[in-house]
Amino acid sequence: MNAKVTTALRREDFEKALRAKGAFYHIHHPFHRAMYSGACTPEQIRGWVANRYYYQINIPLKDAAILANCPDAVVRRSWLQRILDHDGEEGLTGGIEAWLQLAEAVGLTREEVIDQRHVLPGVRFAVDAYLNFARRATWQEAACSSLTELFAPEIHQSRLDRWPAHYPWIEESGYRYFRKRLSEARRDVEHGLEITLEHCVTVEQQRRALEVLQFKLDILWSMLDAMSMAYVHDTPPYHTVTDKQVWHRGL
């Protein structure tokens, strides 16, 4: 929204403005472009999977923060499904377990992924910023930050379409997560979008929503920047003083 705008956008125009943010989705990052064009090495794929795991395990914590701040029981009941999708429930495997299966499929061990030894500081800081935002923000703003899911089905489908041909060394069992998220992301975005469109009816609220969505896009892009430094440009943290992974694993 332009700073000169003094009246709120109509609902359909506000939705268009939110969707236009897809131009900055991390599917356009050089690291992602390399992944879906088949240009990544096994080390780069494994580095991405190991680092992205930290994001995956923090998603249920982010959603729990939204629930904790939300006084609306109807919203809480609907939002709860997101936690179950990632953590799993009795008799059903969740997204975190599916991601660990992806890790094994690309040649990582569960132990090295779960202990977070490969999680780069830049990735950790970005994910932690997202979680801290969800804890401090209003539940409506935190819900709005989830709207990067507007653009997620395309990125999951690109992996399903292209990775088997480009990376035949990845075991087929690893693709379960992406298939699972195709339908879940579409369902989640309908709910999150409805909350945002209903809540953001003033100029200030709409501007704030667009800024929140850009913040989340910044998080995703920054994660890939950190991975590019480490796995594409061979300049991981402390590369000028050691070849050891000396960075912290969490405080």
Side-chain angles (χ1 to χ4, degrees):
M1 294 177 67
N2 190 288
K4 296 180 181 179
V5 175
T6 57
T7 58
L9 295 173
R10 295 181 303 167
R11 182 185 174 102
E12 56 267 32
D13 292 331
F14 178 43
E15 180 175 344
K16 287 179 183 178
L18 291 167
R19 291 185 181 277
K21 287 291 187 180
F24 308 109
Y25 191 50
H26 63 168
I27 195 172
H28 303 296
H29 193 285
F31 197 102
H32 258 311
R33 287 180 172 175
M35 276 202 295
Y36 58 65
S37 68
C40 279
T41 65
E43 180 192 33
Q44 290 166 348
I45 295 290
R46 291 177 187 127
W48 176 76
V49 170
N51 276 271
R52 181 79 180 189
Y53 173 77
Y54 188 65
Y55 178 83
Q56 300 303 133
I57 61 173
N58 275 279
I59 292 300
L61 302 183
K62 176 268 297 183
D63 289 324
I66 293 174
L67 288 177
N69 291 330
C70 179
D72 189 323
V74 174
V75 173
R76 290 200 305 268
R77 283 195 296 269
S78 296
W79 207 271
L80 179 61
Q81 185 59 49
R82 296 172 185 244
I83 296 177
L84 298 177
D85 288 342
H86 280 81
D87 285 347
E89 51 188 311
E90 187 174 355
L92 294 174
T93 300
I96 292 174
E97 172 60 27
W99 196 267
L100 287 170
Q101 292 171 4
L102 170 63
E104 291 178 315
V106 302
L108 295 163
T109 66
R110 284 179 174 249
E111 178 185 8
E112 68 183 306
V113 175
I114 292 172
D115 72 13
Q116 302 174 22
R117 71 186 70 169
H118 301 301
V119 178
L120 299 161
V123 170
R124 189 180 296 278
F125 295 152
V127 174
D128 288 353
Y130 183 35
L131 178 57
N132 288 332
F133 168 79
R135 287 170 170 163
R136 298 192 316 268
T138 67
W139 70 269
Q140 295 97 330
E141 288 182 349
C144 178
S145 72
S146 74
L147 288 183
T148 47
E149 291 168 338
L150 282 166
F151 325 116
E154 179 184 359
I155 210 168
H156 295 317
Q157 191 63 58
S158 72
R159 293 163 188 155
L160 292 170
D161 291 342
R162 302 180 188 185
W163 278 29
H166 291 320
Y167 310 111
W169 52 271
I170 298 178
E171 297 177 10
E172 198 278 334
S173 59
Y175 295 113
R176 180 175 173 273
Y177 176 86
F178 305 131
R179 294 192 184 96
K180 183 175 185 293
R181 286 304 298 164
L182 275 175
S183 59
E184 290 175 354
R186 291 190 180 101
R187 178 208 65 210
D188 290 348
V189 80
E190 289 179 5
H191 185 222
L193 183 60
E194 182 62 26
I195 289 173
T196 300
L197 294 176
E198 285 291 321
H199 172 70
C200 299
V201 295
T202 69
V203 172
E204 291 75 17
Q205 289 169 337
Q206 291 178 350
R207 284 180 182 156
R208 178 64 175 171
L210 291 167
E211 186 69 11
V212 165
L213 182 52
Q214 184 61 57
F215 164 75
K216 175 62 180 305
L217 292 164
D218 293 349
I219 294 294
L220 298 174
W221 198 275
S222 296
M223 290 169 63
L224 290 177
D225 281 348
M227 286 183 253
S228 294
M229 292 294 292
Y231 306 123
V232 178
H233 303 296
D234 296 321
T235 55
Y238 309 105
H239 69 280
T240 56
V241 293
T242 181
D243 60 358
K244 306 297 184 184
Q245 295 179 339
V246 297
W247 48 84
H248 73 289
R249 299 188 192 179
L251 300 175

